[in-house]
Amino acid sequence: MSLAAPPAVEIVGHRGASWDAPENTVASVKLAWEQKADAAEFDVYLSKDGKIVVLHDKTLKRTAGIDKAVTELTADELTKMEVGRWKGERFAGERLPMLEDVLATVPAGKRVFIEVKCGPEIVPELDRVLKAGKLTPEQTAIIAFSSDVIAAAKKVRPDLKAYWVVGIAPKKGKNGQPDTPAPKASELIATAKRIAADGLDLSATPEILTAEYAKAIHDAGLPLLVWTVNDVSLARKMLERGAVAITTDRPAWLRARLADDPNDLRVMSYNIRYSAAKDGINAWDNRKEFLFERIADFDPDLLGTQETLANQRDFLAKKLTGYAGLWAGRDDGKEKGEMMALWWRTERFEKLAGGHFWLSETPDKPGSKSWDSSLPRMATWVKLKDKKAPDAAPVFFVNTHFDHMGKVARVESAKVIRRKIAELGAGCRVVLTGDFNSGDGSEPYKIVFGEFDGKPTPLTDTFRIAHPTPTKEEGTSNGFDATRTTGARIDWIGCTKEWETRSAGIDRAARNGRTPSDHYAIFAVLKPKK
């Protein structure tokens, strides 16, 4: 939910909109314009016959599957190369473009950042192509890691902006220790002045690009641009340090996220379907990247996943950079069985305590089950300090999964949840996520969100707050079929009165009619009440 206009900053699509489309293709650059990017960045090389083609790598191996250097092939040979399929079958047939092909897509009022990946020998041909095209000098910028390229470009085309690109993170040696130290701001400024660069385009490395470092660049009269930023927290840091342009793989997403209130709490719950299931075309390995994309697109501060087996936990742990997690297998309290995994953003939260309990008559006994439960069922919880509100009550985050067969077990599990929240979450701001295998208005629902043991519930149903009038299109279980949107809403996110529900919903994303899991992810955006 956008609350204000995004900050005044130029959003530059990295290699187009390369999060969603194959990098450095016409499709990717066109998508960047559709995503309202202010500019698009792409990479160029000279072909064997001296023409300019759009490609990042020296060879075609990664994007075209051919282990040949760009310089070994003519432009005619290169533009016959298929470079889209690696990103997905929907991009099959996308060809490697010439510079002219990409320039022809640029709308009025937008500009391009042409990153030269070879040497100054490209400058005469680059000048010819640009003069033959429709873009004005104000729409055209040249960037390069090579200071010689920038110097040559400014000599031939002083009317064009040219920015020197520098990776400022210290380079690590074989032992993992810094081998090449980060450049000093004074060194970068001196070189930029010598080559007549119009600004510095630096890697967004916050531990190096400090406020003091950035101030030195600003004081030297050099605009500061940064790359490649796909994290809203990092983007905000760069804006605080005076960046005038941010290069990102996700232009529309980043612009929208920058408009959000940074104090809001973004919560997601996702039954990811256990990987051992014999799901054929919907097997875990065929859908895991799409599933992660849905998580990354929402960008949760808190994430609860259900049916998470150890290999799925490992996949997510590797992909969810900037998060910490807590989990245990439901069968033994260790690694065996499905996990009700919790994830939290480490930049925002500090763990104070955490643990697990089972939905049984002996909740402290790992692997225990009671009543008519078909399997051991459990919950995992963590108590967190919110660094954005260090004086506020801790956040008690709990994630669970009720039995799919035992009707009595689901009712009794709801009672366990209520008791444990009262016991473990006392004095905390509570967030509850899970697959409850129970619909809106069911007995478990009434226990969680209604009166129990003569006490009113502390929890509210975020979805129902955001959507007060029930409809038929609220189903959250889909069997991998994107057309299934009706049925019971069995996945819930609850919160206590300390939160105001700004928005809540169900992620209906699908590709070719198939979904990333047999449940839809659900989400809520919560505002802390003062």
Side-chain angles (χ1 to χ4, degrees), residues 51-272:
K51 303 299 181 182
I52 300 179
V53 293
V54 180
L55 185 72
H56 177 270
D57 299 355
K58 291 181 180 180
T59 76
L60 294 151
K61 187 174 182 179
R62 181 171 62 88
T63 56
I66 298 171
D67 195 9
K68 283 194 173 185
V70 179
T71 53
E72 295 180 53
L73 300 169
T74 65
D76 185 58
E77 292 171 320
L78 287 164
T79 53
K80 292 176 181 176
M81 298 293 175
E82 198 281 332
V83 291
R85 183 175 276 107
W86 68 274
K87 189 72 172 179
E89 282 300 319
R90 63 194 184 282
F91 295 111
E94 191 70 25
R95 303 295 171 184
L96 191 151
M98 299 281 290
L99 174 58
E100 293 91 335
D101 299 328
V102 175
L103 295 181
T105 72
V106 183
K110 306 290 185 177
R111 71 166 172 164
V112 293
F113 286 77
I114 304 171
E115 181 170 345
V116 175
K117 304 300 286 189
C118 51
E121 66 275 8
I122 199 174
V123 172
E125 177 64 6
L126 180 57
D127 180 40
R128 184 195 71 78
V129 173
L130 291 175
K131 285 179 176 175
K134 65 174 184 176
L135 299 190
T136 66
E138 292 75 24
Q139 289 181 281
T140 311
I142 298 170
I143 63 175
F145 282 92
S146 168
S147 58
D148 292 339
V149 168
I150 298 301
K154 289 302 291 184
K155 286 180 181 178
V156 173
R157 292 298 302 269
D159 58 328
L160 301 182
K161 297 293 185 185
Y163 304 103
W164 184 33
V165 182
V166 184
I168 60 173
K171 293 180 175 61
K172 293 183 179 180
K174 293 181 179 179
N175 62 357
Q177 297 299 313
D179 185 45
T180 303
K184 296 179 180 178
S186 58
E187 296 170 341
L188 299 185
I189 292 165
T191 300
K193 296 287 188 181
R194 176 177 60 79
I195 64 177
D198 294 289
L200 288 168
D201 194 356
L202 306 184
S203 61
T205 311
E207 62 271 24
I208 304 301
L209 187 50
T210 61
E212 182 181 7
Y213 198 104
K215 184 177 184 300
I217 294 169
H218 300 317
D219 289 348
L222 293 169
L224 172 63
L225 302 81
V226 295
W227 53 273
T228 298
V229 181
N230 296 318
D231 177 89
V232 68
S233 297
L234 179 58
R236 288 191 175 112
K237 285 182 182 178
M238 295 299 102
L239 290 174
E240 289 170 0
R241 289 163 202 186
V244 297
I246 295 177
T247 298
T248 176
D249 298 327
R250 315 167 72 183
W253 178 90
L254 187 62
R255 188 185 298 280
R257 290 290 285 111
L258 284 171
D260 289 340
D261 187 332
N263 295 310
D264 284 349
L265 183 71
R266 302 176 67 83
V267 184
M268 176 176 267
S269 181
Y270 210 163
N271 182 324
I272 66 173

Side-chain angles (χ1 to χ4, degrees), residues 18-58:
S18 56
W19 185 274
D20 300 306
E23 64 180 55
N24 286 317
T25 60
V26 169
S28 187
V29 174
K30 283 184 175 179
L31 185 58
W33 306 134
E34 291 175 20
Q35 292 188 3
K36 308 301 182 185
D38 300 305
E41 178 268 356
F42 49 85
D43 308 286
V44 296
Y45 276 100
L46 274 179
S47 65
K48 181 180 180 179
D49 53 344
K51 303 299 181 182
I52 300 179
V53 293
V54 180
L55 185 72
H56 177 270
D57 299 355
K58 291 181 180 180

Side-chain angles (χ1 to χ4, degrees), residues 196-491:
D198 294 289
L200 288 168
D201 194 356
L202 306 184
S203 61
T205 311
E207 62 271 24
I208 304 301
L209 187 50
T210 61
E212 182 181 7
Y213 198 104
K215 184 177 184 300
I217 294 169
H218 300 317
D219 289 348
L222 293 169
L224 172 63
L225 302 81
V226 295
W227 53 273
T228 298
V229 181
N230 296 318
D231 177 89
V232 68
S233 297
L234 179 58
R236 288 191 175 112
K237 285 182 182 178
M238 295 299 102
L239 290 174
E240 289 170 0
R241 289 163 202 186
V244 297
I246 295 177
T247 298
T248 176
D249 298 327
R250 315 167 72 183
W253 178 90
L254 187 62
R255 188 185 298 280
R257 290 290 285 111
L258 284 171
D260 289 340
D261 187 332
N263 295 310
D264 284 349
L265 183 71
R266 302 176 67 83
V267 184
M268 176 176 267
S269 181
Y270 210 163
N271 182 324
I272 66 173
R273 176 65 169 173
Y274 68 106
S275 59
K278 299 184 186 302
D279 288 328
I281 196 171
N282 297 308
W284 172 247
D285 283 343
N286 295 338
R287 59 188 175 85
K288 62 184 181 182
E289 292 293 342
F290 185 21
L291 184 142
F292 172 71
E293 286 176 23
R294 301 317 306 155
I295 295 171
D297 188 71
F298 180 69
D299 194 31
D301 297 304
L302 300 177
L303 168 67
T305 62
Q306 302 89 40
E307 294 197 20
T308 313
L309 293 180
N311 68 311
Q312 295 171 296
R313 180 268 321 270
D314 293 343
F315 170 79
L316 290 175
K318 184 177 180 180
K319 299 285 279 188
L320 287 166
T321 56
Y323 290 81
L326 182 65
W327 42 72
R330 69 184 182 189
D331 295 346
D332 63 356
K334 296 177 183 178
E335 291 286 298
K336 189 177 178 182
E338 296 175 12
M339 302 171 183
M340 308 311 113
L342 296 179
W343 313 84
W344 60 91
R345 196 187 301 278
T346 54
E347 185 178 61
R348 177 162 186 173
F349 294 108
E350 175 187 338
K351 180 185 174 186
L352 302 176
H356 320 277
F357 58 87
W358 274 256
L359 306 179
S360 73
E361 294 174 315
T362 54
D364 296 328
K365 182 180 178 181
S368 60
K369 64 176 183 175
S370 301
W371 313 296
D372 57 350
S373 185
S374 64
L375 296 162
R377 298 293 182 174
M378 67 175 295
T380 293
W381 63 272
V382 67
K383 190 176 292 187
L384 302 165
K385 176 182 178 180
D386 189 346
K387 298 175 187 177
K388 290 183 180 289
D391 296 328
V395 174
F396 181 78
F397 177 30
V398 58
N399 181 41
T400 191
H401 188 184
F402 287 8
D403 197 66
H404 65 304
M405 294 182 68
K407 184 176 180 180
V408 174
R410 290 194 293 272
V411 171
E412 295 301 322
S413 294
K415 296 176 183 178
V416 174
I417 288 292
R418 280 288 301 269
R419 292 186 184 115
K420 285 295 186 179
I421 287 176
E423 172 193 341
L424 299 170
C428 295
R429 299 176 293 164
V430 178
V431 174
L432 168 67
T433 59
D435 171 3
F436 297 85
N437 275 307
S438 308
D440 188 337
S442 65
E443 190 63 24
Y445 183 93
K446 292 175 182 177
I447 292 170
V448 172
F449 295 116
E451 187 174 297
F452 169 63
D453 276 350
K455 297 178 182 178
T457 183
L459 297 165
T460 58
D461 174 3
T462 59
F463 186 88
R464 190 54 67 222
I465 293 295
H467 308 276
T469 303
T471 72
K472 294 180 179 180
E473 301 293 324
E474 293 182 354
T476 57
S477 176
N478 57 55
F480 295 108
D481 180 358
T483 66
R484 283 180 53 181
T485 57
T486 58
R489 181 169 58 89
I490 63 176
D491 300 270

